[in-house]
Structure formats: structure tokens, C-alpha cells
Amino acid sequence: MRSFLEEARVLLEELVALPTVSAEGRALEEGAAKVAEVLQDLGLKAELHRGYGPPVVYAEGGEGERVLLFYNHYDVQPPDPLELWETEPFRLVERDGLWYGRGTHDDKGELVARVMALRLFQEKHGFLPRVKFVVEGEEEVGSPHLADYVRDKKDLLKSGAIVWEAGGVDAKGRPYLYAGLKGIVALELRVRTAAFDLHSSYGAVVENPIYRLSRAIASLRDEEGRVLIPGFYDRVRPLSPKEMEVLAEIPDESEALKEALGVRDFLGGARNLEFHQRLYAEPCVNVNGFHSGYGGPGSKTVLPAEAFAKLDFRLVPDQDPEEIPELLRRHLEAQGFHDVEVVVLEKGEHPARSDLSHPFVGLAQRALEEAFGAKAVLYPNMAGSGPMHPFLHHLGAPAVGLGVGYPGSRVHSPNEHIRIRDFERGTLALLRLLELYFLGS
């Protein structure tokens, strides 16, 4: 077992060393080439597919009629702010049972876990099962080209089931899996009230864009988080009895999560089923940032000329990310904010949710429980977003996420890391899933 972890560390160290930051276009060619090399060393035939942004690594091989598809990505978030890192972001460091480095969880550690699970399967059973990999380089910037790629390559990608990019254990150490993701659309609101910044004395007669934009944003939701835009909930698909059953079976993690996140309370004091239903099965709007005026030391008596804010909407089946901006524009105009400009920042992602009754979902749950020796928590979908929808739509196969992280992994933040024990158990859970899917035992 120790040799398996040592091998995994060496491989992860090589991948983390590549600063594949898609937001900056850094090292993406090198990252794709390295992933292709890793998959070829596993015994698969790997190719770089071009014409869809950074190269998409496609690989396939193995024996048998059943096919399992793995989705991962080789790009990572920027390491900033660098001063908050306790280690170098692009150097794997082991300390106190943890592996530190950008991408150790999201998503290079997850990719290494899949590779190691397949190697263990091959060593144990004498053959490599028939698998396919899609490893893209744009997930951290919204996967703008992946839907087209999956549409164009749907015959090549055809498979019986999909293992999604990541997973792990919850705040109380219970293994979890999920069968979907929320959709997303990211926007910017802009307003200008003067040709240039003015002396603050003009505040007596000139509108301040900060007040203007603050009022516009305040009109989007109530104090408990419910979105107030007319028509926003019209397309929301009612939860099925099975989905309600799964939500009701999720252990209450609200208190543990509140402590882990360092928040005073949740909106509306949500707990238990209400907490899970709102987090996983309801859409929301969030303000990512608000920018205007002077923020430096001391005082500067200025009336800013403009203000802007960045927002995202998290969506659930069957909401359409292309419809949300228009609903927002209509709402703002109806509220008298005709001067607030709505700018779509990137192509949105549709929400996705697999059939929770599909046998593959049950196999994945069983694999986790056998590997961890504890009941696995099934989520109908995660609260975050990703490009799962085109896979479900074009391939007609269920997707399930499970992996090697935990809530404290600091994904997207300085000091990203995974616990080595989670990596080990997560890899063994993947091995068990391979056995159940391909061998039936």
C-alpha cells in the first residue's frame, strides 16, 4: 500500500509543478501533453483534440463490452493572493499527513486517484477494463467550448456511465457522492452617473452610482435569499418523490458546516431538510463583488462617476442560463433601473441531474460504503456548477461524482490541499466501483 501512495505522490508532484492556470492561459499545452503521457503510460491510447479552446485530452482503451467514462480537467485556479500561501503553490509539499499545492484536490489529485485505481485494478485482476477519459483545460473558466466538443464527439464518447471529476467526505467525515450539478450564469451590472469623478460636494444634487447600484442589487432577493425577479422560478422542475427521499436522508450537516465555514448563521435559519433543499435543490443569486470609488488609506472626498458589480445565478433543472439575463433586464427596467447595464460575462452552464434510481448510482454508493466502512451520503446534485449537462444530454448516461477531498481542502484558495488518508480511501473506493461495474462483484 505504501508503494501505491508513493507512486501517486510522484505523479501528483509532476502535475502540480505545471502552472496550468486557464484564466491566464498558462502552461495549458504542457499540461495537456503531460496528462496524455500519464494516460498512455496507463495503457490507453491518448490524443489531443484541438479546435475547442485549449487541447482536450481524449484517451481510451482496455477490454470488455462495458465502457466507463471519466471526466476531469487539468486547468487550475490562479494562486493569488500569493502572500497567503504557506508553501509554494506549484510545488507539492507533504506536511502533517497533507499534500499541499494548487490542484492537489481540484482537479489533479482527483485525476491521479483515477489513474491509481485503474493501475490497482490491473494489478489485481490482470487486465485493464474498457475506459475512456475526457480531460479538458477550461473548467475553471466555465468550460465555454466543452458543450460543442461533447456534441461533436458524442459517438466517440458513448459509454454506459460517467465518473465525474471530484468528491470526498463531508464535514463529519462521511463519504459522499452526487449525481448532478447546478447550472450557472455570471453577469456584471454597470451604472454611470457622471462623465468623470466629481467633488463630493456635488452629492447634494448629483446621483451617486453606488447608491443607484446598491438599490438595484437589493431588489433582486429578499432577506432570506429568495429571488424576486418575476418568472425566475417558472422553469424550476418540481422534485420527484425519489429526489425528496434522498434529500430527507441527508444527515443534518448544517451545524458542522456552519463551524467549518465560520459563519454566524444561515439565511432564514435554515436547518435539516430545509437547509438541504435550499442548498442543493433551489436556485439563488449571489453578489461576487462590488467596485466603485476610493478605497485607499485616509479620506478622499469624491463622488464616483461609475459603479459595477459582479453576480452569479446558480440554477436548477430545468432553468435556462440564456433566459436569466433577459429576465433580469426586464426586472430592472420595471423597477426603474433602466440605466443599469446588464453584461453577460461568459457562456452559462445548464443544470444537470442524473436519475437517482439508476443502478450505477447505487453501485457508486455501495463502493463508497465498502471502502469507508460507513454509510455514504447521496446528494441529488452539488451546490456548485460544472459542465455535466452536455454529457447527460448527448450521451444519455448517468454521471456520479466521488473523490478524495474534504470541506477544508481550500479549493480555489491559498493553501489548497488534500488529506493523504482521504486520497487513499477515495482511490480504493474508485477501485471498488470499477470491480462492481466491470466484474459485478
Side-chain angles (χ1 to χ4, degrees), residues 145-200:
H145 299 94
L146 192 65
D148 290 342
Y149 174 82
V150 177
R151 179 199 63 208
D152 294 347
K153 306 290 187 181
K154 60 184 179 182
D155 292 335
L156 181 66
L157 304 181
K158 187 174 178 59
S159 58
I162 304 162
V163 177
W164 205 247
E165 61 164 310
V169 297
D170 66 13
K172 290 193 173 181
R174 297 172 294 227
Y176 70 83
L177 68 159
Y178 55 96
L181 293 165
K182 285 188 175 181
I184 188 172
V185 59
L187 308 163
E188 190 169 282
L189 299 183
R190 302 172 183 171
V191 64
R192 174 177 283 275
T193 56
F196 49 85
D197 289 356
L198 306 177
H199 190 285
S200 66

Side-chain angles (χ1 to χ4, degrees), residues 197-351:
D197 289 356
L198 306 177
H199 190 285
S200 66
S201 62
Y202 281 103
V205 291
V206 175
E207 176 64 282
N208 189 307
I210 297 177
Y211 288 129
R212 188 74 178 156
L213 192 53
S214 296
R215 290 179 55 211
I217 292 172
S219 75
L220 301 183
R221 45 153 277 195
D222 63 22
E223 292 190 1
E224 294 193 352
R226 184 168 178 82
V227 179
L228 300 176
I229 299 172
F232 181 76
Y233 292 94
D234 287 358
R235 291 183 182 269
V236 173
R237 182 199 308 168
L239 292 169
S240 69
K242 177 63 176 179
E243 290 166 342
M244 284 298 300
E245 176 187 330
V246 167
L247 284 169
E249 289 179 351
I250 298 175
D252 183 20
E253 61 178 354
S254 56
E255 288 300 321
L257 193 57
K258 184 171 70 173
E259 182 178 350
L261 299 179
V263 299
R264 289 190 296 271
D265 203 357
F266 295 112
L267 288 172
R271 295 291 188 277
N272 297 312
L273 178 58
E274 180 189 4
F275 174 85
H276 297 131
Q277 187 164 339
R278 292 180 62 173
L279 182 60
Y280 302 115
E282 294 183 6
C284 66
V285 61
N286 180 63
V287 181
N288 308 134
F290 194 115
H291 307 273
S292 184
Y294 179 69
S299 174
K300 182 181 181 183
T301 52
V302 64
L303 192 162
E306 61 180 340
F308 67 94
K310 294 182 184 293
L311 296 79
D312 71 67
F313 289 85
R314 300 284 176 167
L315 311 175
V316 298
D318 294 311
Q319 289 180 299
D320 185 348
E322 296 182 6
E323 181 183 45
I324 301 304
E326 184 57 34
L327 293 177
L328 174 59
R329 290 187 183 96
R330 293 177 193 170
H331 165 78
L332 291 173
E333 291 178 2
Q335 295 292 315
F337 297 110
H338 55 276
D339 54 331
V340 176
E341 183 183 8
V342 178
V343 179
V344 179
L345 296 179
E346 56 190 38
K347 186 177 181 180
E349 293 176 338
H350 285 262

